[in-house]
Amino acid sequence: MITKTVPLKYLTSIRQSGYTIVNYIENDKEFIDDKLIIGCGSNILIKNTKKVYKLSPNFSYIESNGNTVRVGGSTTISQLTNFMINHSLSCIEFLSGIPASVGGAVFMNAGAFGKEISDFLEYVVIKTPEKKLRIDKPRLNFSYRNSNLNGTILEIGIKCKKSEKNQIIKKIVSNIKIRKNKTHLRNTFGSVFKNPKKGLPAGKLIEECGLKGRAKGTAMISPKHGNFIIGKGLVNIDDVLFLIDLAKNEVLKRFSLELEEEVRII
């Protein structure tokens, strides 16, 4: 295991200020505290922890066997997307533009445009403090932005289908354009809250409370989309947490509804 002190701006997509100790996992024999494991930091805030764990590039790989693709947990979505284009395989275009690792995307059951990554999974290999095991699709249990996985995701298998390369590229470009117009691709950690099961989505509830564009120090509730917080330069986590609490309190007062964070705070 390699240990380094790393600026948080390199570990979180919203580019937090400060530093933390990172333990880079080199192989599946090393101990991993799965409660402190991070991927690319695209849906995470690091609050009080003095150290985190992160899979090293040893877990970044992609291999195809027909339409089944084997992917290491630290592989990024952009790396996987490029592989799909080069091999004329279609399945995860809907995740284009998300600065996430494959492991993090599966753990959070990332989704967009009516699809979720769990729709395409064949198996997941996880590591717990006690053992390493493979879990096949029939035993996997996913829900909206959640999974039943207790452990660190080392590898996944996904089922794709053959498609024309230009059609894959066209869909990816279209999805990224929609993301740019409606939300943000940089200096954010993605959706702050999960959408309620009924009624308006979280972003609309926050907008109805007049909070779009509300700023606190280094952070701001997006003027484009109420369910995004964006950073101005390096971000102080206290400013972000203030805005999260503000949105929750205002929505609770106006709609008697308690929003649940989608962003993972450790």
Side-chain angles (χ1 to χ4, degrees), residues 134-266:
R134 168 174 163 150
I135 306 174
D136 292 321
K137 183 67 176 277
R139 294 170 52 211
L140 293 170
N141 181 22
F142 288 89
S143 57
Y144 173 64
R145 302 298 175 268
N146 194 27
S147 69
N148 67 334
L149 298 170
N150 294 310
T152 300
I153 298 169
L154 303 181
E155 179 182 303
I156 69 167
I158 53 176
K159 190 73 171 180
C160 302
K161 63 181 180 180
K162 283 290 184 180
S163 182
E164 294 292 330
K165 185 177 295 187
N166 63 332
Q167 291 299 314
I168 297 171
I169 294 173
K170 183 178 179 181
K171 190 62 177 177
I172 289 171
V173 170
S174 173
N175 288 345
I176 291 177
K177 184 177 180 180
I178 291 171
R179 287 186 189 280
K180 284 182 177 179
N181 289 337
K182 291 187 175 182
T183 59
H184 301 269
L185 298 181
R186 297 179 181 273
N187 300 331
T188 184
F189 47 75
S191 296
V192 183
F193 301 103
K194 297 179 181 180
N195 287 325
K197 293 181 179 179
K198 296 181 179 180
L200 293 174
K204 290 296 183 182
L205 292 170
I206 294 167
E207 291 167 16
E208 288 293 319
C209 293
L211 296 179
K212 284 175 70 174
R214 180 70 65 90
K216 175 69 166 68
T218 60
M220 174 191 294
I221 296 175
S222 167
K224 290 200 296 185
H225 194 303
N227 202 20
F228 278 70
I229 290 176
I230 55 176
K232 300 181 287 182
L234 294 184
V235 172
N236 185 317
I237 190 173
D238 290 334
D239 294 338
V240 178
L241 295 176
F242 175 89
L243 293 176
I244 290 174
D245 287 341
L246 175 67
K248 290 182 72 172
N249 291 336
E250 291 300 312
V251 169
L252 182 61
K253 281 194 297 186
R254 179 160 183 175
F255 297 100
S256 299
L257 179 66
E258 187 167 358
L259 291 176
E260 179 185 356
E261 288 90 339
E262 180 173 322
V263 61
R264 181 177 164 226
I265 303 172
I266 63 172

Side-chain angles (χ1 to χ4, degrees), residues 39-43 73-79 95 97-105 110:
C40 292
S42 63
N43 202 219
S74 68
T75 307
T76 65
I77 292 297
S78 62
Q79 289 171 328
L95 294 179
I98 297 178
S101 67
V102 165

Side-chain angles (χ1 to χ4, degrees), residues 4-19:
K4 295 181 181 179
T5 299
V6 181
L8 288 171
K9 66 181 180 180
Y10 298 131
L11 301 175
T12 56
S13 59
I14 199 170
R15 303 182 73 242
Q16 281 183 239
S17 59
Y19 297 81

